[in-house]
């Protein structure tokens, strides 16, 4: 074999190896992206089924903010609409609140590309909020109330039977702890509810979806994200603290956050303290065994019955 042939072979081998590795990496990325899409479809479909969110003939108004979550919601609902055994329509709605530097061309261009019915509602709530809220104070509360009222009206005008919001699993848990820590109540963010005006049903199909998945899905789909801080309002610092707490728990105690989320759908009213929720005053011994009756003198639910020598000591170095 000539030296030139040997040199060519030695040069081509690494290139071929790199190409093979690159191909395998590409295949793996495609596989993982496909798996993510299937998981999101499964979780959204399960939430819709568990809470009867969408029924035959419904017209779903998907509130599109331009953020990763509402983009993911619209995308997955469009996929499920093609596969569902029932028929339902989708209309995407964006409320342009006239915030400074809001890129009002992005959403219309994106929605036209999808070939889906949409409506852009133009309402200058930004000026109202800036006029009523003192400089430096958080504007989110008033802005949210104004936005809610407008969207209810738009839902009526469009003939929408359901209003779909992009809140995910993390939002639900954060709200639960916010209400507990700062509102002194056990209250979360339900996957389905009647609106405060009594005229609309609001649904949250992403109720089972983790925020990390919507973040990655947004990257995969290359959604044209619009920043959520255009109004200059500070992020809700209390919510940010709760978010950091949950992320720290997930890092140090894998599975804890999953258990907390599961607990929201496994409630035992007789073992709480709400007199309106459970009739403690009229409670009497009936002589009939109850599956959820109080075990009173038994060991704690978390106890393993092990001796004290097997108890794992708490860490105190952090």
């Amino acid at each position: 074999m000539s030296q030139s042939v040997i040199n060519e072979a030695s040069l081509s081998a690494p290139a071929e190896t790199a190409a093979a590795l690159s191909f395998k990496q590409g295949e793996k990325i495609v596989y993982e992206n496909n798996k993510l899409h299937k998981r999101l479809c499964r979780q959204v479909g399960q939430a819709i089924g568990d809470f009867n969110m969408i029924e035959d003939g419904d017209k779903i108004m998907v509130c599109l903010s331009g953020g990763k979550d509402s983009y993911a919601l619209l995308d997955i609902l469009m996929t499920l609409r093609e596969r569902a055994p029932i028929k339902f329509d989708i209309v995407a709605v964006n409320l342009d609140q006239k915030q400074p530097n809001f890129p009002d061309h992005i959403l219309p261009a994106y929605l036209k590309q999808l070939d889906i019915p949409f409506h852009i509602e133009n309402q200058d709530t930004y000026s109202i909020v800036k006029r009523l809220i003192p400089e430096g104070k958080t504007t989110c509360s008033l802005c949210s109330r104004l936005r809610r009222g407008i969207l209810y009206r738009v839902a009526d005008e469009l003939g929408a039977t359901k209003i779909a919001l992009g809140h995910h699993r993390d939002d639900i848990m954060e709200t639960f702890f916010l209400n507990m820590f700062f509102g002194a109540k056990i209250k979360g963010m339900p996957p389905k509810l009647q609106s405060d005006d009594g005229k609309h049903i609001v649904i949250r199909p992403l109720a089972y979806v983790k925020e990390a998945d919507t973040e990655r899905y947004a990257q995969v789909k290359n959604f044209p994200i619009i920043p959520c801080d255009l109004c200059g309002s500070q992020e809700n610092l209390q919510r940010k603290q709760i978010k950091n707490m949950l992320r720290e728990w997930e890092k140090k105690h894998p599975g804890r956050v999953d258990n907390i989320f599961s607990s929201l759908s496994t409630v035992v009213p007789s073992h709480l303290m709400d007199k309106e929720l459970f009739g403690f005053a009229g409670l009497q011994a009936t002589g009939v065994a109850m599956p959820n009756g109080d075990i009173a003198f038994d060991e704690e639910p978390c106890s393993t019955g092990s001796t004290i020598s097997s108890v794992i000591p708490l860490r105190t170095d952090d």
Side-chain angles (χ1 to χ4, degrees):
M1 182 180 293
S2 68
Q3 186 63 42
S4 62
V5 173
I6 294 173
N7 290 341
E8 286 179 11
S10 63
L11 288 172
S12 63
E16 290 172 359
T17 303
L21 286 173
S22 179
F23 180 74
K24 285 184 178 180
Q25 289 171 345
E27 279 190 323
K28 183 178 180 182
I29 290 171
V30 170
Y31 171 77
E32 291 296 332
N33 292 346
N34 186 50
K35 190 165 72 169
L36 172 63
H37 182 254
K38 286 183 177 179
R39 180 165 67 250
L40 291 176
C41 287
R42 175 175 52 80
Q43 290 174 336
V44 172
Q46 182 181 348
I48 290 172
D50 285 351
F51 298 97
N52 192 30
M53 291 185 187
I54 298 178
E55 301 168 275
D56 191 41
D58 268 340
K59 184 174 185 178
I60 311 300
M61 185 178 101
V62 179
C63 298
L64 197 63
S65 66
K68 60 179 175 31
D69 305 320
S70 59
Y71 274 126
L73 172 62
L74 177 63
D75 187 272
I76 298 300
L77 284 181
M78 290 179 65
T79 299
L80 294 180
R81 182 182 58 175
E82 302 305 315
R83 304 174 180 176
I86 61 172
K87 183 181 182 301
F88 65 92
D89 295 321
I90 295 174
V91 55
V93 171
N94 169 254
L95 173 58
D96 182 349
Q97 298 176 268
K98 301 305 174 186
Q99 297 166 328
N101 303 315
F102 181 78
D104 57 8
H105 64 285
I106 289 181
L107 284 171
Y110 175 76
L111 294 169
K112 285 175 183 176
Q113 210 174 33
L114 294 181
D115 192 26
I116 184 173
F118 69 91
H119 172 75
I120 307 295
E121 180 70 15
N122 293 285
Q123 294 287 335
D124 188 3
T125 61
Y126 175 80
S127 296
I128 297 173
V129 170
K130 297 303 286 185
R131 187 176 73 249
L132 296 178
I133 302 295
E135 192 67 32
K137 297 292 183 180
T138 303
T139 62
C140 299
S141 179
L142 176 58
C143 181
S144 177
R145 289 200 301 274
L146 293 172
R147 184 170 63 244
R148 184 166 63 242
I150 293 169
L151 290 174
Y152 287 164
R153 173 180 57 77
V154 172
D156 286 335
E157 294 172 355
L158 295 177
T161 55
K162 305 280 174 60
I163 301 172
L165 304 179
H167 297 122
H168 44 64
R169 195 184 85 153
D170 298 60
D171 290 322
I172 290 172
M173 285 192 291
E174 288 163 18
T175 300
F176 172 74
F177 282 107
L178 280 169
N179 280 319
M180 186 189 299
F181 292 169
F182 304 104
K185 62 180 68 173
I186 302 292
K187 178 183 175 183
M189 182 184 279
K192 181 180 180 181
L193 76 155
Q194 179 179 266
S195 61
D196 50 4
D197 65 1
K199 298 178 182 178
H200 306 90
I201 294 296
V202 178
I203 59 175
R204 296 183 170 100
L206 298 182
Y208 293 159
V209 174
K210 295 181 179 179
E211 183 176 19
D213 280 347
T214 64
E215 288 176 348
R216 184 166 154 240
Y217 195 65
Q219 295 172 350
V220 170
K221 300 291 287 189
N222 196 27
F223 293 138
I225 304 296
I226 298 174
C228 62
D229 58 353
L230 294 175
C231 62
S233 179
Q234 287 187 329
E235 183 180 359
N236 185 320
L237 297 181
Q238 292 174 342
R239 182 173 288 275
K240 186 176 181 180
Q241 289 174 3
I242 297 296
K243 184 186 291 287
N244 290 338
M245 179 189 76
L246 292 174
R247 286 181 176 175
E248 194 66 21
W249 281 353
E250 184 62 26
K251 188 188 304 179
K252 290 187 175 182
H253 310 282
R256 174 182 290 184
V257 175
D258 289 335
N259 284 340
I260 294 170
F261 184 71
S262 295
S263 75
L264 297 180
S265 57
T266 315
V267 180
V268 184
S270 63
H271 285 53
L272 296 175
M273 297 178 65
D274 190 331
K275 300 187 295 295
E276 302 298 323
L277 193 63
F278 186 80
F280 292 102
L283 189 63
Q284 296 181 355
T286 63
V288 179
M290 297 176 61
N292 290 328
D294 197 342
I295 54 179
F297 299 106
D298 289 5
E299 61 192 25
E300 291 298 316
C302 295
S303 173
T304 60
S306 304
T307 60
I308 193 167
S309 61
S310 65
V311 175
I312 300 174
L314 293 175
R315 290 182 59 183
T316 58
D317 56 348
D318 55 7

